[in-house]
Amino acid sequence: MSTRTEIPPTQGDEAVVGKLSTLDRFLPVWIIAAMALGLLLGNLIPGLNTSLEAVKVGEVSLPIAVGLLVMMYPVLAKVRYDQTRRVIGDRKLMISSLVINWLLAPAFMFVLAWVFLADLPEYRTGLIIVGLARCIAMVMIWNDLACGDRESAAVLVAINSVFQVVAFGALGWFYLQLLPSWLGLPTTSADFSFWAITLSVLIFLGIPLLAGFLTRTLGEKAKGRDWYEGTFLPKLGQWALYGLLFTITLLFALQGETITARPLDVARIALPLLVYFVVVFGAGMLIGKWLDLGYAKTTTLAFTAAGNNFELAIAVAIGTFGVTSGQALAGVVGPLIEVPALVALVYAALWARKRFFSPATASL
């Protein structure tokens, strides 16, 4: 990801692998090690979770916020912002993304929550909240690793952010109160904080987006695009993966004791999440292929649909139901499953690139 050079698809995945650094090439190993380290630290160091929670940005631990910003900034510095008009003008991509992200995916998570967790209302509610929080952070990493369209990812993430601020509360009311009452199911009262949602978007997208835009604009103005993309970005890029691994370690350290103490509950929550990631990603790939978007945009469509904003989901669950609630645990299990699942889907996307996309469209 971080040192990726654009390789013609006819050269095959071997050429891509040959351009990767050791950090990139063995990323799944490092991610598993970070998850294991976090769980170990969370269980061995008394009071670590309390210390991590002591300083917050909104309802999110400040160390985790720093890790997310370090992760996001290099990816957004890679985006060619002068190409965003091209993305916005692609009506097929824009409309399909909005439909999948804000109609199909939340509805599918609602169904999964009731099918798998009908007897566990706290976890069920937490899972529905995860489904409403559309991804604005880690999706940039997965999209870049899978050679997706960076400019499309930046635009779709920005659109998702606007919709989160505007629609999250209304969708929460619809899926937790109105729709269950129509179906004769138990309802859940939840008062979502508009400020918490807005703050999440401003911190986890606004700050790194502004920093990335200014870095590219000033860097290209000072030394040109060739220097910026050929010399500066390869040096900056590794920090995205460092930020990712740091964030994963902290997330699992924060809830390590809870996760290991309640393994059966974690498994109950994990199963519908795994189904969700695989089905929504697969649907995104099929829809993109059907619309003839080309590999890069199809991959971006699939990842922006399958990923979730677990930072927001955890913040909303904690702020509404409390840090020890089942809803908060469901939010924490989100990245526990999302990280390995979407890493696997990166490889699935690259596999699909060779087999289902022609060389003429694989790099589009």
Side-chain angles (χ1 to χ4, degrees):
M1 183 276 297
S2 54
T3 58
R4 191 185 81 203
T5 301
E6 300 300 335
I7 303 296
T10 53
Q11 292 185 25
D13 289 345
E14 294 80 6
V16 175
V17 171
K19 294 289 183 178
L20 297 178
S21 68
T22 301
L23 180 62
D24 290 309
R25 193 176 305 169
F26 297 102
L27 181 60
V29 176
W30 311 137
I31 287 177
I32 293 172
M35 293 166 64
L37 177 61
L39 290 174
L40 186 64
L41 292 174
N43 281 277
L44 293 182
I45 302 178
L48 178 61
N49 57 345
T50 304
S51 299
L52 291 175
E53 286 281 4
V55 183
K56 294 183 177 181
V57 177
E59 289 295 333
V60 178
S61 162
L62 180 59
I64 291 177
V66 171
L68 288 167
L69 293 177
V70 172
M71 178 188 75
M72 287 285 287
Y73 164 61
V75 180
L76 288 168
K78 292 180 179 181
V79 174
R80 291 181 175 180
Y81 293 93
D82 57 354
Q83 295 187 20
T84 53
R85 286 188 180 181
R86 165 185 63 84
V87 178
I88 295 172
D90 191 332
R91 297 180 62 183
K92 291 191 295 184
L93 177 63
M94 293 293 103
I95 293 173
S96 59
S97 177
L98 289 174
V99 169
I100 296 173
N101 271 287
W102 296 101
L103 292 178
L104 301 183
F108 184 52
M109 187 69 92
F110 174 84
V111 172
L112 290 174
W114 276 98
V115 169
F116 286 92
L117 300 170
D119 60 326
L120 297 169
E122 288 191 357
Y123 298 156
R124 184 181 68 233
T125 298
L127 204 66
I128 291 171
I129 292 173
V130 170
L132 298 179
R134 312 312 303 156
C135 196
I136 66 172
M138 280 194 180
V139 69
M140 301 292 293
I141 294 283
W142 314 133
N143 178 74
D144 219 35
L145 285 168
C147 303
D149 189 305
R150 290 175 184 145
E151 290 69 39
S152 295
V155 171
L156 295 182
V157 162
I159 291 173
N160 279 345
S161 300
V162 173
F163 268 78
Q164 276 184 13
V165 173
V166 173
F168 191 96
L171 287 172
W173 168 76
F174 177 77
Y175 281 107
L176 295 176
Q177 296 186 31
L178 186 60
L179 184 56
S181 68
W182 287 350
L183 300 175
L185 300 170
T187 60
T188 302
S189 296
D191 184 18
F192 299 129
S193 168
F194 174 83
W195 171 243
I197 297 167
T198 304
L199 185 62
S200 174
V201 170
L202 289 176
I203 291 173
F204 299 124
L205 179 63
I207 293 175
L209 182 61
L210 178 61
F213 173 77
L214 291 176
T215 300
R216 177 172 278 276
T217 301
L218 297 176
E220 288 190 355
K221 185 176 181 180
K223 294 199 172 183
R225 176 163 289 186
D226 289 342
W227 172 86
Y228 183 82
E229 295 188 347
T231 303
F232 178 72
L233 284 183
K235 295 179 181 179
L236 178 67
Q238 293 291 340
W239 285 96
L241 295 187
Y242 296 145
L244 172 66
L245 297 175
F246 177 75
T247 303
I248 290 171
T249 301
L250 288 183
L251 280 170
F252 283 81
L254 190 62
Q255 296 292 336
E257 188 175 353
T258 302
I259 290 171
T260 54
R262 301 158 75 176
L264 293 180
D265 289 355
V266 170
R268 287 285 303 272
I269 299 167
L271 184 56
L273 280 169
L274 183 60
V275 173
Y276 172 86
F277 293 133
V278 173
V279 171
V280 174
F281 178 84
M285 291 294 286
L286 290 173
I287 290 172
K289 176 67 175 174
W290 176 60
L291 293 174
D292 198 25
L293 294 177
Y295 171 78
K297 288 184 178 180
T298 294
T299 300
T300 299
L301 176 66
F303 276 109
T304 52
N308 290 91
N309 184 357
F310 63 82
E311 310 89 12
L312 175 59
I314 294 171
V316 167
I318 291 175
T320 306
F321 302 102
V323 69
T324 60
S325 65
Q327 291 89 341
L329 177 62
V332 170
V333 175
L336 174 70
I337 304 305
E338 178 175 343
V339 170
L342 293 192
V343 168
L345 291 175
V346 167
Y347 288 92
L350 293 173
W351 174 85
R353 181 192 193 195
K354 284 199 302 185
R355 287 160 178 78
F356 300 111
F357 292 87
S358 67
T361 63
S363 59
L364 294 177

